[in-house]
Amino acid sequence: LSPSNGTASTALTNYLDTQYFGEIIIGSPAQMFNVVFDTGSANLWVPSQSCSPLYTACFTHNRYDASKSLTHIHNGTGFSIQYASGNVRGFLSEDIVGGIPVVQVFAEATALPAVPFIFAKFDGVLGMGYPDMAIDGITPVFDRIMSQDVLKEQVFSVYYSRDPQRIPGGQLLLGGTESKYYTGTFNYVHTKGEGKWEVTMKGVSVGMETLFCTEGCTAMIDTGSSFITGPASSVSVLMRTIGAVELAEGEYTVNCDLVMSLPIVAFHLGGQAYPLTQEDYILRFGEDICTVTFRALDIPPPTGPVWILGANFIARYYTKFDRRNNRIGFAQAA
Ligand SMILES: CCc1nc(N)nc(N)c1-c1ccc2c(c1)N(CCCOC)[C@H](c1ccccc1)CC2
């Protein structure tokens, strides 16, 4: 993250269109980590040198070694965070983070469950959510950067490529938008104003019919999720409508020969429809396995019920997260 004309850009790696992450450095001398820049959470954590080697997932990732950093400041407060796909426990530390030097309180993870972190191609997570979402009331990285007044705009934009071979696999741009990653203009939707990257969705349509969320519902725009998730009741009907079969818990596949005949699924946000074609919501693993990138996921109140629009949505719609105006902008991704 090196600020130039009031913006700072980080290239992202795209792993199989399902994981997108970029590099940050922590401490002096610099220790490098791959992290997901995650709008669904608001804390920074990386695996810790003091994570027991019994946790295979720690063993197979870069670990922060406090004893090797001259700028490390001890904290030691307990930390635990819950994601839809797994949770992480550890303790707090403080050190210099990133190219834009911010002194940041972050968590050293000492308990990293093998499922799912053994599948993570990244080491840790850098939450890009609002401060209200931050565990232990820690000021998030982006808030610390905003308070340095180095950014042209108090926004950040996310490009996720739709082809794992494409270089770069994506981009996080702090302070503005990158014109080469979108076409047309931005349509904006205001956040629900509860300190989350959440908006009111007006409906989910399959083909010409609005079948779900017909009375309105909540959608989280989540750069940390691979897929689109929705309430199990809606997603199971959606899957039956497109002829998908449930493979594992909440996971669906379709016969690859039928992919061409699949309907358009559209998400109605802020007076605009955001359609996904079968190319956008089918992942082809090899010749004959076509998985649907919608997952059934019931998130209990008060957080849920909520639809989560993840990487496969963002790959189609270049997304601008606007903290100045508490709104999210979408444009056709290039
Ligand atoms: C980024 C943190 C996070 N933040 C939010 N808001 N939601 C969720 N679900 C995650 C999360 C936690 C853990 C893992 C994850 C995602 N993964 C997906 C990366 C998505 O990269 C964009 C990978 C994966 C592989 C196999 C099966 C399930 C998941 C590794 C494990």
Side-chain angles (χ1 to χ4, degrees):
L1 290 181
S2 48
S4 45
N5 53 354
T7 64
S9 145
T10 301
L12 304 180
T13 300
N14 168 355
Y15 174 72
L16 294 181
D17 285 352
T18 57
Q19 298 189 41
Y20 295 81
F21 49 86
E23 283 186 13
I24 62 165
I25 55 174
I26 303 180
S28 340
Q31 299 179 39
M32 195 284 285
F33 299 94
N34 285 309
V35 295
V36 173
F37 294 94
D38 176 18
T39 54
S41 66
N43 287 84
L44 168 61
W45 66 263
V46 292
S48 177
Q49 187 59 34
S50 46
C51 177
S52 151
L54 294 176
Y55 281 102
T56 319
C58 275
F59 207 60
T60 57
H61 288 102
N62 294 311
R63 295 176 297 281
Y64 170 78
D65 186 344
S67 69
K68 293 213 170 57
S69 173
L70 301 171
T71 43
H72 165 73
I73 299 167
H74 172 77
N75 180 310
T77 307
F79 174 84
S80 169
I81 190 163
Q82 184 84 25
Y83 302 105
S85 23
N87 57 14
V88 173
R89 281 200 321 278
F91 61 88
L92 301 185
S93 283
E94 197 168 341
D95 208 332
I96 297 182
V97 173
I100 300 184
V102 284
V103 176
Q104 181 68 36
V105 176
F106 64 99
E108 296 190 42
T110 52
L112 211 45
V115 175
F117 289 98
I118 204 79
F119 303 109
K121 291 300 173 188
F122 53 92
D123 303 308
V125 177
L126 194 153
M128 298 295 287
Y130 281 79
D132 306 27
M133 293 177 70
I135 310 279
D136 296 338
I138 299 164
T139 303
V141 172
F142 189 63
D143 288 74
R144 286 206 176 286
I145 292 174
M146 284 194 291
S147 53
Q148 288 186 18
D149 276 337
V150 290
L151 297 180
K152 190 166 57 177
E153 283 181 86
Q154 299 203 329
V155 307
F156 59 90
S157 301
V158 177
Y159 163 68
Y160 278 174
S161 81
R162 268 175 278 176
D163 169 2
Q165 268 72 40
R166 197 148 169 205
I167 305 294
Q171 183 204 52
L172 168 72
L173 187 75
L174 305 183
T177 54
E178 184 76 67
S179 51
K180 70 184 171 198
Y181 290 135
Y182 69 94
T183 58
T185 57
F186 280 96
N187 289 302
Y188 292 99
V189 198
H190 275 280
T191 59
K192 290 190 72 174
E194 284 143 23
K196 290 182 182 176
W197 290 116
E198 284 185 344
V199 297
T200 297
M201 182 152 67
K202 303 225 170 101
V204 178
S205 56
V206 181
M208 302 306 289
E209 277 189 273
T210 300
L211 296 180
F212 313 107
C213 177
T214 52
E215 306 302 312
C217 59
T218 299
M220 178 186 285
I221 313 304
D222 184 5
T223 57
S225 288
S226 307
F227 302 133
I228 289 174
T229 73
S233 54
S234 301
V235 171
S236 56
V237 173
L238 171 59
M239 291 302 115
R240 205 172 315 124
T241 310
I242 68 174
V245 293
E246 187 156 13
L247 200 69
E249 178 63 34
E251 285 186 29
Y252 293 86
T253 61
V254 287
N255 176 331
C256 291
D257 306 338
L258 299 178
V259 168
M260 288 322 294
S261 63
L262 291 178
I264 283 181
V265 178
F267 299 88
H268 298 256
L269 308 166
Q272 283 288 330
Y274 292 86
L276 294 184
T277 66
Q278 62 270 34
E279 286 316 305
D280 298 318
Y281 68 77
I282 295 294
L283 265 184
R284 288 173 187 274
F285 284 118
E287 276 314 298
D288 55 355
I289 301 183
C290 287
T291 68
V292 188
T293 60
F294 296 126
R295 289 274 187 283
L297 182 67
D298 286 312
I299 296 172
T303 312
V306 60
W307 288 74
I308 296 178
L309 303 185
N312 59 331
F313 185 84
I314 291 160
R316 173 72 196 274
Y317 296 103
Y318 182 71
T319 308
K320 174 182 180 183
F321 296 87
D322 183 342
R323 279 290 299 273
R324 179 86 180 70
N325 302 297
N326 292 315
R327 62 183 187 173
I328 301 176
F330 298 106
Q332 292 287 340

